[in-house]
Amino acid sequence: MAETQVQQNEQATRRNEKVGQVVSTKMQKTIVVSVEMRKAHPKYKRVVKSNKKFYAHDEQNSARVGDVVRIRETRPTSKLKRWALEEIVRRSALAQLPDAKESAAE
């Protein structure tokens, strides 16, 4: 019975998730993620793209600019941060270039 309650709580507290691209990592433990949204225009029915930036908490500073990440809604961490990094979906090819240079220098 306890297991079913836990499953119901997880379903009831399902948090909103978004997938976007990391735009900035200049702050400590914070990333800025740009999410592209496609929506049909109410009158003309044409698909319109719009971008919105979200500030997300990145505890290990693992995300780099250009990475595609999944963020999850959380309680407010600061004035602007209401999201947390869930996982890095795909690493950027641009982010891997500095690592290759560092290993070549050693």
Side-chain angles (χ1 to χ4, degrees), residues 11 17 22 34 38 44 79 92-93 100 102 104:
Q11 291 174 357
E17 290 186 349
V22 178
S34 178
R38 294 167 175 253
Y44 301 114
K79 180 182 174 184
S92 170
E102 289 175 14

Side-chain angles (χ1 to χ4, degrees), residues 26-68:
K26 293 187 178 183
M27 295 168 274
Q28 293 177 3
K29 297 188 179 182
T30 303
I31 57 174
V32 182
V33 180
S34 178
V35 177
E36 182 182 280
M37 291 168 266
R38 294 167 175 253
K39 189 176 181 183
H41 189 278
K43 183 176 181 181
Y44 301 114
K45 308 301 183 211
R46 175 158 180 162
V47 176
V48 180
K49 287 193 271 185
S50 63
N51 290 320
K52 186 163 167 60
K53 291 181 182 177
F54 295 96
Y55 286 73
H57 184 69
D58 180 11
E59 186 63 38
Q60 283 86 30
N61 286 327
S62 57
R64 294 178 282 202
V65 176
D67 291 351
V68 176

Side-chain angles (χ1 to χ4, degrees), residues 2-14:
E3 292 176 19
T4 57
Q5 260 185 340
V6 171
Q7 290 174 352
Q8 288 175 353
N9 288 341
E10 288 177 8
Q11 291 174 357
T13 59
R14 181 142 191 246

